[in-house]
Amino acid sequence: MKFGTKAIHAGVSPDPSTGAIMTPIFQTSTYVQKSPGDHYGYEYSRTHNPTRTALQQSIAALENGKHGICFSSGLGAIDSVVKLFNPGDEIISTNDLYGGTYRLFTKVFERYGIKFHFVSMADPEQLSTYVNEKTKMVWVETPTNPMMNIIDLEAMAAFTKKHGLLLAVDNTFASPYLQNPLDLGADIVMHSVTKYLGGHSDVVMGALVVNDDELASRLVFLQNACGATPGPQDCFLVLRGIKTLHLRMERHCQNGKTIAAYLKNHPKVEKVYWPGFEDHPNHLVAKRQMRDFGGMISFTLKGNSLDDAKKVMESFELFALAESLGGVESLCGHPATMTHASIPKAEREKVGLVDSLIRLSVGVEDAEDLKNDLANALSKI
C-alpha cells in the first residue's frame, strides 16, 4: 500500500462483533478468562488492550516496521530504550536535541551510572573518538530540535553497524510521512506521538518501532513491567489522527516552505533554520532521506534581544505561544526558556540556541494569514 492508504487502513479492521468501521475504545482494565490462563489474548490492560494493539500495528506499518510499542509519553518511550542498558554503559547522543531528552539522560540515568556523550554528528566518523567497549548506542534526532540540523542516517547506520552499536532515531520532527529511519538502517525509531501522529493537540503519547524480534521482546517487557502505557481513549484519538496524517503533512510542508521564505527575506530576521534551503549545511542529505522538508522552522532576530523575542511572541494572534508542536494550529515557542530550559545556557549557545531564537510549528491554516500574523508581530520591534 502507498502511504496514504496505509494511514487509513494499515493495522485496523472493522470490529468483528458489530462491524463498526472505527476501532472501538475498549475502556476496560481487565478481561474475563474461561479458565486460569485460558483467555482470548487479553488479561489486563496494562499488558494489552485491543485499541492499543490496533494503534501499535498502524504505527509500525507507517514506519515500515514489524513491531510497534506505545507508551504514555515520548519520554516514557525513551526511558524504556535507556533501560535496555546497564550501569557503566555509554551512549553517544547528538548535542542538539530536545531538552526533555537531555534532562532524562543527565538528571535521571547518569545517576544510575550510564554515561552520555553529547557531540556533533555532522560527520559520523568523528564519533569514533567516543567509542569504546562500554559504548552501546547512538541516539539521533533529525531534524534536530530546535536547530533543524540534518544527520545522515545511512552514514550513521553504517558507522553503528561497523562498531556493533544500536542506532535509535527520534523521528518526531519528520513524522513517518517524511522519513522512515528503519529503511535507512536504524534499529529503533521513536516518536512523540503527541505531535504529528496525533496531530490535534489533544493527546500525550510516545511510540517505538523496531524490526528485530528479540529487541521488541525486551522493549515490550519494559513497557509492561514499568507500566508507562497509554489509555484506550488516547489510542483511539491517535488512530483517528493518523487517518489524515498524509493530508496534514502535505499542508504543513507547503506552509512551512512559504513561511521559511518569508522570514528569510524579512529585514528584522537574522537567520532562518529550515532544511529546505539550498544553503542549509545538509540540504542535500535532507533532500535524499526526506520526502519533503516539513513545517518546523527556527529563526533568530537581529540584535539577539530576549526582550525583542518576547515582544514578537506576545504579539502573535494566530501563532499560539505554547509548548509542543505538530498540531493543526500554528504554535510558537521560546526554546531557551521553555522546551530547552533544562540545558545549561553555555551548552545551548554552543549549538546556536541563543536567547532570540524562536521555534515555529507551522500549522495548516491559510499561509497568507500566517504571513500577516508574522508581519504584525515583527512590526512591534
Side-chain angles (χ1 to χ4, degrees), residues 88-110:
D89 289 344
E90 299 186 9
I91 294 170
I92 303 170
S93 169
T94 180
N95 62 350
D96 170 27
L97 78 168
Y98 169 51
T101 306
Y102 179 90
R103 180 181 60 226
L104 180 67
F105 288 173
T106 60
K107 301 298 184 183
V108 178
F109 283 106
E110 281 190 348

Side-chain angles (χ1 to χ4, degrees), residues 97-361:
L97 78 168
Y98 169 51
T101 306
Y102 179 90
R103 180 181 60 226
L104 180 67
F105 288 173
T106 60
K107 301 298 184 183
V108 178
F109 283 106
E110 281 190 348
R111 293 170 52 220
Y112 297 101
I114 296 178
K115 185 175 181 180
F116 297 86
H117 302 277
F118 299 96
V119 301
S120 169
M121 295 189 176
D123 178 6
E125 286 304 319
Q126 291 184 352
L127 273 60
S128 299
T129 306
Y130 301 93
V131 176
N132 57 57
E133 69 279 0
K134 298 179 180 179
T135 310
K136 304 298 181 183
M137 182 177 75
V138 174
W139 180 269
V140 169
E141 283 183 16
T142 182
T144 61
N145 181 4
M147 302 309 299
M148 305 305 298
N149 288 310
I150 299 295
I151 296 168
D152 188 330
L153 292 179
E154 285 185 316
M156 190 60 69
F159 173 85
T160 54
K161 284 176 172 54
K162 181 172 72 173
H163 292 279
L165 310 175
L166 286 174
L167 174 60
V169 179
D170 182 338
N171 201 31
T172 299
F173 266 31
S175 87
Y177 178 80
L178 297 181
Q179 182 172 269
N180 298 120
L182 294 178
D183 293 347
L184 300 171
D187 300 291
I188 302 171
V189 176
M190 195 288 294
H191 283 280
S192 175
V193 176
T194 309
K195 314 308 194 291
Y196 286 111
L197 285 168
H200 293 79
S201 304
D202 55 8
V203 66
V204 173
M205 193 185 297
L208 302 173
V209 183
V210 302
N211 278 322
D212 183 81
D213 293 345
E214 191 271 336
L215 182 58
S217 178
R218 294 171 66 195
L219 289 167
V220 168
F221 170 81
L222 289 165
Q223 177 198 41
N224 181 53
C226 298
T229 51
Q233 182 155 343
D234 285 349
C235 293
F236 173 87
L237 289 171
V238 176
L239 279 167
R240 184 180 66 172
I242 283 174
K243 289 181 183 294
T244 60
L245 176 63
H246 56 303
L247 304 175
R248 290 184 284 107
M249 290 306 298
E250 287 177 5
R251 186 60 173 263
H252 283 302
C253 291
Q254 292 169 6
N255 283 356
K257 181 178 181 179
T258 300
I259 297 305
Y262 174 79
L263 288 170
K264 192 170 188 179
N265 293 313
H266 198 285
K268 294 182 181 178
V269 172
E270 179 68 29
K271 189 168 184 180
V272 182
Y273 299 90
W274 182 66
F277 291 137
E278 290 187 1
D279 60 358
H280 184 283
N282 259 358
H283 170 72
L284 293 179
V285 174
K287 192 174 181 179
R288 184 178 74 243
Q289 72 185 22
M290 299 173 69
R291 298 179 184 91
D292 208 330
F293 303 108
M296 295 303 300
I297 301 167
S298 293
F299 68 99
T300 57
L301 301 171
K302 288 183 177 176
N304 189 31
S305 166
L306 177 59
D307 288 339
D308 283 350
K310 287 181 177 179
K311 284 180 186 176
V312 170
M313 289 182 284
E314 290 167 357
S315 300
F316 283 129
E317 294 182 3
L318 292 179
F319 283 92
L321 178 59
E323 300 269 0
S324 201
L325 59 104
V328 291
E329 61 286 305
S330 293
L331 300 178
C332 73
H334 187 242
T337 59
M338 295 169 68
T339 54
H340 291 66
S342 59
I343 300 176
K345 182 180 175 69
E347 294 301 312
R348 294 196 306 262
E349 292 187 342
K350 282 180 183 178
V351 299
L353 204 170
V354 296
D355 283 346
S356 77
L357 186 129
I358 297 171
R359 191 191 73 183
L360 300 180
S361 173

